[in-house]
Amino acid sequence: MAIPTRRTGRGVTLRRGEAGFDELVLDTSFNARDPGRRPQIIVQANNVFEVIAAVKQATTDNLPISVCSGGHSWNQNHLREGGMLLHLGYMNRIEVDVAKRRAIVEPAAWCGDLDARLKQHGLFFPVGHVADIGLGGFLLQGGFGYGSRKFGLGCESVVGIDVVLADGRLVHANAEENADLYWAARGAGPGFFAVVVRFHLRLHARPKVVAMQSQI
C-alpha cells in the first residue's frame, strides 16, 4: 500500500485513452488495487469555479458524475465505468475562526492537518482515526472518529455546507436554509446528489489527550 502524500501544484483534466489517464485515475485511491473500472473523463478541480464548470460540462455531455476527495474508500466507490470522475484532491484549504469556534474546510483537507491547526488553539473536532483521511468522504459517511463517544459523529458538528447542484448553482445549506440538502449530507455517503465544496464546522474545547494513527 502506497503512503499518501499531500497534493501540490495544480490539477489537470484527461480523457480516457490520453497519456497518463490510467495513472491519474488510480492515483485517486489510497490503496494499490485496480478494479478495472474507468471513467470517460477525470477532472481534477483546483477550486469551486472549476467544480461548477465541470458539473455544467457533465450536464451538457449527459455524463453521470462520481466524486472523490481523499480517496480513502477501500471499496473505491468513486471508480465507476464511464461518466466523469470529479476529483477534489487539490481542494484542501482550512480556515479557523478561534473566537467563534468555527472552521471552514474543503473536502480534501486531511483529518490530521485540521487536528494540527486546532491543537494550536486548544480546540478540537472529532476527526478520523487516520491522519490522511480526507474530510469530505469522512463527514458525508457520518464521521465516527476519535472523540465521537463524547462529541458525537463528525457530521453532528457540521453546521453548514456549500454545495454545487446538478445545474451548476452554488448554494449554502444549513438547518434553516436548503435544509433538505443539509440533513441529507449528514451521512449520505458516496451517493450524495451534489458536490460539497466546503464544510462549516462547530469546534469544541480540546480534550486532555488526543491520539491518531499516522503514516506521515
Side-chain angles (χ1 to χ4, degrees):
M1 182 183 300
I3 297 176
T5 56
R6 292 171 178 81
R7 296 185 182 277
T8 58
R10 293 187 63 79
V12 300
T13 297
L14 287 179
R15 291 187 176 273
R16 194 167 185 167
E18 292 183 327
F21 175 82
D22 280 0
E23 293 80 3
L24 201 66
V25 170
L26 295 178
D27 188 50
T28 61
S29 290
F30 84 108
N31 60 48
R33 299 166 61 206
D34 182 355
R37 302 184 296 271
R38 296 290 187 273
Q40 189 64 30
I41 181 174
I42 177 172
V43 177
Q44 293 181 318
N46 298 284
N47 52 53
V48 175
F49 304 105
E50 292 187 7
V51 171
I52 293 172
V55 170
K56 288 182 176 180
Q57 177 188 341
T59 299
T60 299
D61 296 343
N62 196 29
L63 295 174
I65 301 175
S66 63
V67 183
C68 173
S69 52
H72 226 279
S73 167
W74 181 259
N75 291 327
Q76 299 169 299
N77 293 303
H78 62 284
L79 294 184
R80 304 171 188 175
E81 187 63 31
M84 175 186 287
L85 172 54
L86 181 52
H87 186 216
L88 309 180
Y90 288 87
M91 297 178 60
N92 52 21
R93 298 167 187 81
I94 298 173
E95 301 175 20
V96 178
D97 187 325
V98 177
K100 294 183 178 179
R101 286 193 176 184
R102 291 287 189 269
I104 301 175
V105 300
E106 291 186 328
W110 283 6
C111 287
D113 289 341
L114 175 61
D115 187 68
R117 286 280 298 275
L118 298 182
K119 183 179 180 179
Q120 301 173 14
H121 307 290
L123 297 173
F124 180 76
F125 186 84
V127 295
H129 64 286
V130 177
D132 61 284
I133 291 176
L135 284 160
F138 175 71
L139 292 172
L140 282 177
Q141 297 189 83
F144 186 84
Y146 286 126
S148 285
R149 290 175 119 185
K150 178 176 182 180
F151 299 107
L153 297 176
C155 69
E156 295 181 72
S157 292
V158 173
V159 296
I161 54 174
D162 299 325
V163 302
V164 177
L165 303 180
D167 60 4
R169 285 185 297 138
L170 175 66
V171 302
H172 180 73
N174 55 36
E176 291 78 37
E177 179 183 2
N178 296 307
D180 52 346
L181 289 170
Y182 171 68
W183 294 113
R186 296 186 6 150
F192 186 57
F193 40 83
V195 182
V196 183
V197 292
R198 285 185 292 261
F199 293 87
H200 299 251
L201 310 179
R202 178 175 64 250
L203 307 177
H204 309 276
R206 193 170 186 85
K208 292 182 178 179
V209 177
V210 177
M212 184 179 297
Q213 179 182 344
S214 177
Q215 293 178 307
I216 56 177

